[in-house]
Amino acid sequence: MRLFADSIAQALAAQTGRPAAEFRIELPRDPALGDLAFPCFQLAKQLGKAPPALAAELAGAWKLEGITAQATGPFLNFRIDRQVLAERVVRTIEGEGVSYGCSREGAGQTVVIDYSSPNIAKPMHVGHLRSTIIGAALVRLHEQLGYRVVGINHIGDWGSQFGGLVVAIRRRGKQIDETNPVHGLLELYQWSKQQVESDPAFAAEAREAWRELESGREGEVRELWRHVTKVSLAGFEKTYRRLGIRHDLVRGESWYENMLQATFERVEKAGVVELSQGALVVTLGGVEKSLKETPCLLRQSDGTTLYATRDLAALFSRWEEFGFARALYVVGGEQKLHFRQLKGVLKRMSLDWEPRVEHIDFGLLLGPGRTKLASRKGAVLVLDDLLDEVVEEALRVVQEKNPEGANLAEIAEQVGIGAIVFNDLKRERIKDVLFDKQEILSFEGDTGPYLQYTHARLASILRKAEAASEGRAAPDWNGLGEAGGVLIALARYPDVVRSAAKNCEPSEVSQYLIQLAHELNNWYVGSRVLGQEPGITAARLALVRVSKSVIGNGLRVLGMAAPEQM
Ligand code: ARG
């Protein structure tokens, strides 16, 4: 609503001789009271007046073309003339098109977003799906605000499990089914894990291979590790492509290997490390009581390093390289302690940029009845299989709806992926997500397909108008007399994008889109678009056009396609 809130704040500023920034214009609790409101409490206090008296005084002196003001208790409520509302909102969105919702407020600042970050050789499982979907939405949201965004895939490509994998390849050969690398590697990984547990000779050889890998020497072991990494990444890429995702940097944990020494020195120099039974630790009780029993362990007594060591090195390197305004880690809630420890170390080092580091955690993705999601065969669920399964079902659904339709396979992919993405982003991220194939693909209810269908339906009205050469007249904004709810919702979109980015909460966009779609669906029940008085039809078509544009923008920000036809 900045479109109107700014002019209201300016008018109040002119009226009172105070700076416009003092007038925070809000949405009224009850839309029946007005379109916007100014709560008078703070200003009244400063002026030594009673809030209702101030509200009445401001209302008495109010004068702004197209907007009326009324005092209701301590609130000054504003109502925008429907014609003014219609024309301003429609013209603004028509003018800005795909940039409607964008701003430059983040220009010159960098946001680093660590997301997806699966582990090599293990499958990218459903837990990574949420990180991928939420992270990619946060990338787009920040881009809309003009930030430079650096999306990083911090893949787990380091650790003792690679010793086992190397030995497994020695025993069984290097052939991993290249057409299906994720499954091939998963099988190999599981086999090596089992061998390590049951065969002491295998385990010893695996340990030796891991030591060799960590030594940094070139040779057979490093070669095999590279091979596994490459094959695995290619498998992940396929999934990313389907989700329309591209990281700016793929830097696995191994990337930071040669920075570990400098990291130790840096922490040591800050005087915050202790040796505890040969291990290098940073105690954290002093900066956060609840971390008293859980110091951050940086180096084990045998000299090996840990996930936290590499994450700390990565964080320093990111700070130096990007001087970020925000560093977001989109990682599940089960790593809460890990990120509190990382931030704890920064606090102990008195680094003033510590608050810029944020753990963006989220709930679980669960199957029907809150069960763990499993594949059809009951094994670990591989992400790509999940996508296939839903797209397959989506094809059935769209075929049933429209047996003669063209491009059904393409639409099914858009609907299937859209359904998964929307289901994931629909509620606050911290809540668990229930995954029920039938439910998320339903065209009724607050689902991805419902929103995509709303978009396609608007597109279809526009095609019909085009075919009938309707909508060429000058718009008569009286034709949008019933569209107040839609117009207000449309005007709010830029605020929603901004707030969703700030709170790292893509669900604000999802909930907004649902509300906009409801408003639209209510509106066209009572207002026919085509075949009216030419000026009325023109105004209503303009509303259809800009509504389609905003829904399209919103869907794309979330990572969903906006089909023209379904
Ligand atoms: N690879 C880790 C996992 O799957 C997630 C990494 C998240 N990013 C980070 N910088 N720690 O659990």
Side-chain angles (χ1 to χ4, degrees), residues 239-250:
T239 307
Y240 293 141
R241 259 199 308 279
R242 293 183 81 178
L243 292 168
I245 283 164
R246 226 199 67 240
H247 285 87
D248 300 290
L249 298 173
V250 181

Side-chain angles (χ1 to χ4, degrees), residues 114 116-119 125 128 154-156 253 307 311 318 329-331 335 338-339:
D114 181 316
S116 193
S117 305
N119 300 318
H125 57 72
H128 295 116
H154 188 79
I155 48 176
E253 293 182 36
Y307 177 57
D311 240 343
R318 289 172 192 181
Y329 288 87
V330 188
V331 186
Q335 292 193 28
H338 168 73
F339 287 104

Side-chain angles (χ1 to χ4, degrees), residues 167-429:
V167 180
I169 296 175
R170 271 188 197 144
R171 302 278 158 93
R172 296 184 31 182
K174 205 171 165 180
Q175 73 279 31
I176 297 159
D177 181 3
E178 303 267 345
T179 59
N180 203 342
V182 173
H183 284 272
L185 274 170
L186 173 59
E187 202 271 321
L188 200 67
Y189 168 73
Q190 283 169 340
W191 184 75
S192 75
K193 224 174 110 182
Q194 196 189 322
Q195 291 303 107
V196 165
E197 274 156 28
S198 60
D199 177 353
F202 189 103
E205 196 179 330
R207 264 197 308 279
E208 184 46 42
W210 169 234
R211 234 189 317 272
E212 175 64 21
L213 193 57
E214 265 209 310
S215 78
R217 275 190 292 273
E218 284 301 325
E220 182 238 14
V221 171
R222 193 152 269 264
E223 187 68 22
L224 287 177
W225 168 75
R226 261 197 211 109
H227 175 73
V228 169
T229 305
K230 204 180 102 211
V231 172
S232 199
L233 268 179
F236 296 155
E237 276 310 320
K238 190 172 151 232
T239 307
Y240 293 141
R241 259 199 308 279
R242 293 183 81 178
L243 292 168
I245 283 164
R246 226 199 67 240
H247 285 87
D248 300 290
L249 298 173
V250 181
R251 285 185 183 167
E253 293 182 36
S254 66
W255 173 271
Y256 304 94
E257 269 304 279
N258 60 12
M259 301 177 199
L260 297 181
Q261 200 46 44
T263 303
F264 295 135
E265 280 159 23
R266 186 166 177 167
V267 183
E268 244 151 24
K269 219 153 113 203
V272 303
V273 285
E274 278 163 42
L275 271 177
S276 163
Q277 297 163 351
L280 202 61
V281 301
V282 181
T283 58
L284 301 170
V287 289
E288 201 183 317
K289 267 210 191 74
S290 60
L291 295 177
K292 193 161 173 272
E293 307 295 328
T294 45
C296 184
L297 178 56
L298 291 180
R299 194 174 59 207
Q300 275 163 333
S301 52
D302 65 0
T304 49
T305 60
L306 300 103
Y307 177 57
T309 325
R310 293 184 284 277
D311 240 343
L312 194 61
L315 191 45
F316 288 147
S317 136
R318 289 172 192 181
W319 171 249
E320 254 122 60
E321 189 170 353
F322 304 113
F324 48 72
R326 295 181 101 171
L328 310 177
Y329 288 87
V330 188
V331 186
E334 67 282 357
Q335 292 193 28
K336 224 177 193 141
L337 175 62
H338 168 73
F339 287 104
R340 277 171 52 220
Q341 288 177 321
L342 271 191
K343 281 169 71 69
V345 173
L346 302 186
K347 277 190 210 155
R348 280 221 53 197
M349 295 173 76
S350 311
L351 295 167
D352 61 358
W353 46 272
E354 175 273 330
R356 300 184 188 196
V357 178
E358 300 170 61
H359 177 201
I360 307 303
D361 57 349
F362 50 81
L364 303 169
L365 183 60
L366 298 167
R370 300 189 60 85
T371 51
K372 198 171 162 203
L373 270 182
S375 76
R376 275 183 279 213
K377 288 176 224 103
V380 187
L381 186 58
V382 174
L383 194 46
D384 218 38
D385 295 347
L386 181 83
L387 301 188
D388 282 341
E389 205 180 311
V390 175
V391 168
E392 208 175 277
E393 180 68 16
L395 183 61
R396 229 184 38 71
V397 174
V398 297
Q399 252 162 0
E400 197 180 284
K401 279 222 155 15
N402 186 4
E404 314 283 274
N407 306 328
L408 287 186
E410 189 191 336
I411 294 172
E413 177 84 11
Q414 295 181 333
V415 170
I417 304 276
I420 294 176
V421 169
F422 192 76
N423 183 49
D424 218 279
L425 298 178
K426 186 166 146 183
R427 290 186 218 296
E428 286 165 84
R429 58 179 155 72

Side-chain angles (χ1 to χ4, degrees), residues 357-560:
V357 178
E358 300 170 61
H359 177 201
I360 307 303
D361 57 349
F362 50 81
L364 303 169
L365 183 60
L366 298 167
R370 300 189 60 85
T371 51
K372 198 171 162 203
L373 270 182
S375 76
R376 275 183 279 213
K377 288 176 224 103
V380 187
L381 186 58
V382 174
L383 194 46
D384 218 38
D385 295 347
L386 181 83
L387 301 188
D388 282 341
E389 205 180 311
V390 175
V391 168
E392 208 175 277
E393 180 68 16
L395 183 61
R396 229 184 38 71
V397 174
V398 297
Q399 252 162 0
E400 197 180 284
K401 279 222 155 15
N402 186 4
E404 314 283 274
N407 306 328
L408 287 186
E410 189 191 336
I411 294 172
E413 177 84 11
Q414 295 181 333
V415 170
I417 304 276
I420 294 176
V421 169
F422 192 76
N423 183 49
D424 218 279
L425 298 178
K426 186 166 146 183
R427 290 186 218 296
E428 286 165 84
R429 58 179 155 72
I430 202 66
K431 300 208 167 125
D432 292 342
V433 170
L434 292 192
F435 181 90
D436 178 324
K437 205 166 48 179
Q438 250 67 41
E439 206 175 297
I440 67 174
L441 281 170
S442 158
F443 278 53
E444 280 115 51
D446 300 334
T447 62
Y450 164 71
L451 288 175
Q452 289 175 320
Y453 184 68
T454 303
H455 182 269
R457 183 154 156 208
L458 296 171
S460 133
I461 298 175
L462 294 174
R463 279 194 301 272
K464 280 193 197 126
E466 187 65 35
S469 310
E470 288 206 56
R472 309 261 159 98
D476 174 355
W477 302 114
N478 283 314
L480 299 184
E482 305 300 311
V486 179
L487 290 162
I488 295 282
L490 291 173
R492 274 181 50 222
Y493 180 66
D495 308 321
V496 173
V497 170
R498 186 205 217 175
S499 166
K502 180 167 155 265
N503 301 328
C504 291
E505 197 56 88
S507 65
E508 292 182 22
V509 176
S510 315
Q511 291 300 324
Y512 165 82
L513 287 175
I514 289 173
Q515 196 215 332
L516 174 58
H518 287 334
E519 292 285 0
L520 265 168
N521 290 324
N522 289 339
W523 173 68
Y524 30 65
V525 172
S527 305
R528 292 193 59 86
V529 176
L530 301 179
Q532 311 298 300
E533 188 73 20
I536 302 283
T537 286
R540 292 184 180 168
L541 275 173
L543 185 69
V544 167
R545 204 174 306 117
V546 298
S547 300
K548 169 176 175 269
S549 159
V550 171
I551 293 182
N553 289 354
L555 289 174
R556 282 184 290 269
V557 162
L558 294 180
M560 300 164 66

